[in-house]
Amino acid sequence: MDTKIFKVNSEKSLVEWIGRKVTGAHNGTIEVKEGNLTFENENLLTGKFVINTKSITIIDVEDAETNAQFASHLASDDFFNSDQYPEATFEITHTEPGDNNLYYVKGDLTIKGITHSIDTALQIVRTDNVAVLDAKIVIDRTKFNIKFRSANFFANLGDTLIYNNFDLNIHLVAETI
């Protein structure tokens, strides 16, 4: 069997996030700390990547003071509790190759020390030395004890309600080691 391990290049990889609320949405980025993808006979076998929750940025809020307050709030226990949980991870536990560079995967997502299994699709374009992974994962934040302004836990939020699901658009560039 031909097994190749690709190491995620943090400088070329990025996770973009989108969170929605009644009155609109916010978006930003999160740095990828590290990761790897293992291929066997040209097919994805396993993989893992780690994001740095302390690196969350907000793109759509231009006022510096408001942006800093928002970033501080996302780092607080209301959201990611970044001081206690500076990393979130996704570890691929099962893969099924599909057509057109798609893989259907099951993996363990850990946020705030809480792990849940999720199913998603990944697109991976690979050469001998580089693998580029793109995926969109929709996450129910309440499963990870992120309850702030969720209708599941609070009543009468009106236009301050924040929807439970948020999106992570993942772009990983990995190179052979």
Side-chain angles (χ1 to χ4, degrees):
M1 290 191 213
D2 179 30
T3 302
K4 277 193 171 181
I5 299 173
F6 291 72
K7 183 178 178 186
V8 172
N9 182 326
S10 299
E11 309 247 332
K12 295 180 180 177
S13 302
L14 189 64
V15 175
E16 296 175 316
W17 63 269
I18 300 171
R20 293 172 184 81
K21 56 185 183 173
V22 171
T23 58
H26 290 293
N27 68 300
T29 62
I30 311 168
E31 293 173 4
V32 177
K33 181 178 177 183
E34 61 191 14
N36 59 65
L37 302 170
T38 301
F39 290 83
E40 187 172 271
N41 298 329
E42 305 294 319
N43 287 318
L44 179 67
L45 183 63
T46 62
K48 180 179 180 177
F49 68 93
V50 179
I51 62 172
N52 175 1
T53 65
K54 290 184 173 195
S55 71
I56 296 173
T57 63
I58 300 103
I59 293 174
D60 65 297
V61 177
E62 294 180 8
D63 177 71
E65 186 176 329
T66 304
N67 189 300
Q69 288 173 347
F70 188 6
S72 178
H73 193 205
L74 288 177
S76 78
D77 191 39
D78 281 344
F79 288 95
F80 294 99
N81 195 356
S82 298
D83 284 338
Q84 187 172 351
Y85 303 102
E87 298 177 349
T89 61
F90 182 67
E91 185 163 6
I92 297 167
T93 57
H94 180 76
T95 66
E96 294 286 335
D99 295 331
N100 301 318
N101 301 316
L102 279 179
Y103 286 87
Y104 302 96
V105 303
K106 181 178 287 287
D108 291 332
L109 178 65
T110 303
I111 300 173
K112 291 179 78 170
I114 301 166
T115 302
H116 287 282
S117 181
I118 63 168
D119 297 322
T120 192
L122 312 173
Q123 182 172 39
I124 300 178
V125 177
R126 189 191 142 192
T127 65
D128 278 346
N129 300 320
V130 177
V132 178
L133 179 150
D134 287 292
K136 176 182 175 180
I137 300 176
V138 179
I139 299 165
D140 177 349
R141 66 189 175 95
T142 62
K143 290 182 177 183
F144 300 92
N145 199 28
I146 303 173
K147 300 175 183 178
F148 185 78
R149 292 190 185 161
S150 166
N152 291 13
F153 301 95
F154 302 97
N156 304 316
L157 289 169
D159 65 1
T160 66
L161 173 109
I162 300 171
Y163 296 116
N164 292 337
N165 288 345
F166 69 96
D167 302 346
L168 292 181
N169 295 305
I170 301 158
H171 178 76
L172 301 178
V173 177
E175 299 156 345
T176 53
I177 54 175

